[in-house]
Amino acid sequence: MALHHTLTTHIQKAVLELFNISIEKVEFQATRKEFEGDITMVVFPLVKALKGNPVEIGNQIGNYLVANLNEVSKFNVVGGFLNIVISDAFYVEFFNTIKNNETFGFVAPKEGEKAVMVEYSSPNTNKPLHLGHIRNNLLGYSVAEILKAAGNKVYKTQIINDRGIHICKSMLAWQKFGKGETPASTGLKGDKLVGNFYVEFDKQYKKEISELIAQGKTEDEAKKLAPSILEAQQMLLDWENGKPEVIELWKTMNQWVYDGFAQTYKNLGVDFDSYYYESNTYLLGKEVVQFGLEKGIFEKDPDGSVWIDLTADGLDRKIVLRSDGTAVYMTQDIGTAIQRVKDFPDVGGMVYTVGNEQDYHFKVLFLILKKLGFDWADSLYHLSYGMVELPSGKMKSREGTVVDADDLMAEMTTTAQTISEELGKLDGYSEEEKAVLFKTIGLGALKYYMLKVDPKKQMMFNPEESVDFAGNTGPFIQYTYARIQSILRKADFDTSISISELELHEKEKELIKQVQLFPEVIQNAAENHSPALIANYTYDLVKEFNSFYQQVSILGEENHDKKVFRVQLSKSVGNTIKNAFQLLGIEVPERM
């Protein structure tokens, strides 16, 4: 922040002039609520070098600042802390420079700057998206938007796991039990229809295992010998060998799923710039293995398998090619990363939004790419996140008891409707307007609740709690935004003039200070890949606004300049809320 820089420079000058000593660093912190001040300098680190009493040192520096810096109006010293009071004129001047800037805090990408590719979602095409995917999508999308606002060019992508035994299970079950059903004939979304057959396969498979165990087989033997799994394995071989009817069915059923996913993404409000498909990428990376062998990075075992030994780096020995010459996931991920940079030559870094059960995998992947000599490998980041649970417990997809993403979004809209109607906030709304509002509130509640938690933490998602209109929730913040819009609609006077001289109310000053933090919060959130920093900043801003709203008259203020200034300040807060929520993928209603 510019203020920090100005204060640092003058404190360095003060110490040099007063004590004849040069200092490099000045430590600041927020002034504690019980003391007067806007920013506090920590004096203790200087005591040893300056060989003096911290209170005396603080007083001398404070007097120097008041005499030499217009921004500082007064100060007080408590122990080893110099509490600095910044003048109203500084805050008014700052506010006038940003009040008409609708994208305050956002930075445009620099010309020639390397882009960042953010991968998220990456589902399997054998079932619909579920609660875990919702957290993944919201995190990935939000981090992409935050990186963009922080001045990066960003590409959003996903890799769709559209091949493998799990896909063949759904295909086989549809062949056996589907009776020609399609999304059109059943009225079901394609991903739901295919997911039902995945569950159907599992039921059949379990039944066969029980029968084989009853015939005297061990459980392990039964799992390997069950007819269904043998047929699915054969189907996978047929797919890999390009058998036309298998490929045709695979294409048809996958398309049903893609269409279903597209609908879910649209409802959730996330999008992508590019798609990668495992069916196209699973052979990528094999030629890199040869390159790695030639460079001595990989080593071949007597059975023909290829490995990399990372024990010196504190990891283990990792296989990159099986003895039969087939690739493993690691090989595929190496190849896909390289391919992405070929496809998008301006990419200089990648963010992978994947659950924390894959932490080790990404440590190994990033290290291998570094050892292979790719300069962009230093800018790879695993956006690792914890599992989401509902109060009712964990989710399992094979049994069909998974919490479906579409169902959860619909439930959130219904919950928002019930609570809004109970609170009686809907006078004068048409049915159409109500439907839009319920969806905005419901989705806002879901997204905010998910994103306010640090990504690394496991979390419990409570739908009812998330739609509360009080506390640290999406609807509470949306309601404050709508309240601000109501003030702006009622302001029937010219609010475009600039007020340059004004004595600020303490609440106005606090609010400007909070708005002033927004650019720094965006940069921190980008650096830490954490939407939670944006979410919780917005909550703090809204709390500060509501305190201002309750203690300071806005439209009822008699002094015209003060009234104009307070409306302008309200507008700026509303704009900051809207921009912050945009980074979280949340809409704000104009009325509520």
Side-chain angles (χ1 to χ4, degrees):
M1 206 162 73
L3 179 63
H4 276 196
H5 179 70
T6 306
L7 283 172
T8 299
T9 307
H10 279 77
I11 289 167
Q12 285 167 334
K13 277 186 190 171
V15 172
L16 190 60
E17 285 181 28
L18 296 167
F19 305 99
N20 202 25
I21 285 175
S22 292
I23 57 166
E24 278 184 31
K25 209 173 155 213
V26 180
E27 191 182 325
F28 294 108
Q29 62 185 38
T31 305
R32 284 167 58 176
K33 291 282 182 199
E34 61 265 35
F35 302 119
E36 186 185 14
D38 298 299
I39 189 167
T40 294
M41 176 202 166
V42 185
V43 181
F44 291 117
L46 302 181
V47 171
K48 198 174 175 186
L50 305 185
K51 298 184 177 63
N53 176 302
V55 175
E56 283 173 17
I57 294 167
N59 276 309
Q60 283 179 274
I61 294 172
N63 283 318
Y64 181 94
L65 292 176
V66 170
N68 292 281
L69 195 58
N70 291 336
E71 284 89 341
V72 177
S73 60
K74 52 184 173 172
F75 70 92
N76 61 82
V77 180
V78 180
F81 299 95
L82 167 60
N83 301 319
I84 302 164
V85 179
I86 304 298
S87 68
D88 287 357
F90 168 80
Y91 287 110
V92 172
E93 190 183 328
F94 161 76
F95 179 71
N96 282 326
T97 63
I98 64 113
K99 68 181 167 69
N100 296 320
N101 180 357
E102 294 201 351
T103 55
F104 171 66
F106 289 15
V107 179
K110 292 188 191 84
E111 198 61 46
E113 196 90 339
K114 286 287 190 184
V116 183
M117 184 171 270
V118 182
E119 174 194 295
Y120 55 97
S121 197
S122 305
N124 295 328
T125 56
N126 63 323
K127 54 193 173 187
L129 302 174
H130 57 60
L131 180 58
H133 288 119
I134 286 187
R135 188 175 198 195
N136 180 303
N137 274 274
L138 297 181
L139 278 172
Y141 177 85
S142 181
V143 164
E145 292 299 313
I146 291 165
L147 287 168
K148 216 184 287 179
N152 299 281
K153 184 178 180 183
V154 175
Y155 298 113
K156 302 169 188 167
T157 194
Q158 62 167 315
I159 181 157
I160 298 172
N161 303 304
D162 64 342
R163 66 170 282 278
I165 193 75
H166 51 297
I167 311 294
C168 293
K169 288 175 181 179
S170 294
M171 288 162 62
L172 192 67
W174 183 85
Q175 273 186 336
K176 285 186 170 182
F177 316 113
K179 300 174 187 160
E181 284 181 359
T182 66
S185 73
T186 57
L188 272 179
K189 272 175 87 231
D191 51 336
K192 299 272 198 297
L193 183 66
V194 172
N196 289 347
F197 287 109
Y198 183 63
V199 172
E200 206 54 53
F201 175 92
D202 197 58
K203 283 182 193 163
Q204 179 67 18
Y205 181 40
K206 281 188 173 146
K207 192 174 147 197
E208 291 168 1
I209 291 168
S210 299
E211 286 167 1
L212 286 166
I213 291 171
Q215 290 166 26
K217 296 277 189 274
T218 67
E219 190 178 346
D220 276 357
E221 286 171 337
K223 281 180 178 174
K224 285 174 190 160
L225 295 170
S228 288
I229 200 70
L230 295 174
E231 286 177 88
Q233 286 163 350
Q234 182 56 50
M235 185 178 264
L236 182 59
L237 285 173
D238 290 343
W239 180 88
E240 286 177 354
N241 293 325
K243 193 173 180 183
E245 57 269 38
V246 173
I247 295 290
E248 199 49 47
L249 178 61
W250 171 79
K251 282 182 178 170
T252 300
M253 290 181 73
N254 270 344
Q255 194 56 53
W256 293 347
V257 177
Y258 300 149
D259 293 344
F261 285 170
Q263 210 176 315
T264 305
Y265 292 140
K266 189 171 180 239
N267 288 339
L268 193 57
V270 301
D271 57 10
F272 302 91
D273 301 306
S274 66
Y275 296 81
Y276 287 82
Y277 298 89
E278 200 180 304
S279 52
N280 297 329
T281 64
Y282 79 106
L283 297 176
L284 287 177
K286 287 178 83 167
E287 68 275 17
V288 184
V289 172
Q290 193 49 48
F291 169 78
L293 279 167
E294 287 163 14
K295 290 271 183 186
I297 296 159
F298 299 148
E299 55 194 28
K300 192 175 271 194
D301 273 12
D303 67 354
S305 59
V306 180
W307 298 72
I308 182 166
D309 188 353
L310 300 173
T311 47
D313 301 280
L315 303 175
D316 63 358
R317 210 166 165 259
K318 198 80 189 169
I319 189 166
V320 290
L321 209 63
R322 296 189 189 97
S323 54
D324 62 1
T326 56
V328 292
Y329 266 115
M330 187 60 71
T331 332
Q332 185 180 310
D333 280 355
I334 293 166
T336 304
I338 296 165
Q339 186 60 45
R340 283 171 172 169
V341 178
K342 283 180 187 167
D343 295 342
F344 297 87
D346 58 342
V347 164
M350 294 179 216
V351 175
Y352 293 83
T353 313
V354 182
N356 57 15
E357 69 279 1
Q358 294 291 329
D359 283 356
Y360 188 76
H361 174 85
F362 284 102
K363 269 185 193 163
V364 173
L365 172 65
F366 297 169
L367 187 55
I368 291 175
L369 287 162
K370 268 184 204 174
K371 287 182 183 292
L372 287 168
F374 296 104
D375 55 358
W376 43 262
D378 283 324
S379 303
L380 299 176
Y381 183 83
H382 175 205
L383 177 51
S384 170
Y385 63 91
M387 185 189 276
V388 190
E389 290 184 13
L390 283 163
S392 55
K394 290 186 182 175
M395 310 170 298
K396 291 178 182 168
S397 55
R398 276 189 301 279
E399 288 86 350
T401 55
V402 66
V403 180
D404 180 274
D406 297 312
D407 294 347
L408 183 61
M409 284 191 277
E411 186 194 317
M412 291 303 297
T413 302
T414 306
T415 306
Q417 176 174 353
T418 307
I419 292 173
S420 300
E421 285 172 347
E422 282 170 7
L423 293 170
K425 293 183 181 293
L426 303 164
D427 295 345
Y429 278 74
S430 69
E431 289 307 310
E432 203 177 317
E433 286 170 328
K434 282 182 189 177
V436 171
L437 182 64
F438 297 147
K439 190 180 175 190
T440 302
I441 296 170
L443 272 182
L446 168 68
K447 292 179 180 186
Y448 185 83
Y449 200 93
M450 288 261 183
L451 292 172
K452 73 176 181 177
V453 178
D454 184 302
K456 292 181 178 64
K457 290 183 179 168
Q458 189 163 323
M459 68 169 293
M460 176 77 71
F461 177 68
N462 186 322
E464 284 72 32
E465 201 177 276
S466 74
V467 190
D468 196 338
F469 277 78
N472 191 2
T473 66
F476 172 67
I477 295 169
Q478 287 173 322
Y479 184 66
T480 302
Y481 176 83
R483 168 182 274 171
I484 290 170
Q485 300 319 298
S486 172
I487 292 167
L488 300 183
R489 283 193 294 271
K490 288 174 187 165
D492 56 351
F493 47 86
D494 183 6
T495 60
S496 64
I497 56 169
S498 271
I499 312 296
S500 54
E501 285 184 30
L502 200 68
E503 194 177 314
L504 292 177
H505 187 285
E506 179 200 343
K507 288 292 165 190
E508 291 172 313
K509 199 171 178 180
E510 288 304 318
L511 205 45
I512 294 170
K513 278 157 72 174
Q514 195 64 29
V515 170
Q516 197 174 30
L517 290 173
F518 190 44
E520 194 183 328
V521 172
I522 291 175
Q523 294 300 325
N524 283 344
E527 207 175 300
N528 292 287
H529 301 84
S530 177
L533 295 177
I534 299 285
N536 290 296
Y537 161 80
T538 314
Y539 177 54
D540 289 341
L541 175 64
V542 161
K543 277 194 299 185
E544 203 59 68
F545 177 81
N546 283 316
S547 177
F548 160 78
Y549 179 81
Q550 282 152 15
Q551 294 186 44
V552 178
S553 177
I554 301 174
L555 296 175
E557 172 58 53
E558 288 176 8
N559 179 301
H560 186 69
D561 282 3
K562 284 185 179 180
K563 179 160 62 173
V564 170
F565 187 81
R566 286 169 188 175
V567 170
Q568 290 174 344
L569 184 51
S570 300
K571 184 180 179 182
S572 188
V573 170
N575 193 53
T576 306
I577 293 169
K578 186 178 188 174
N579 287 341
F581 262 29
Q582 180 190 318
L583 299 181
L584 303 178
I586 303 175
E587 292 182 1
V588 282
E590 295 298 307
R591 294 195 303 144
M592 207 165 147

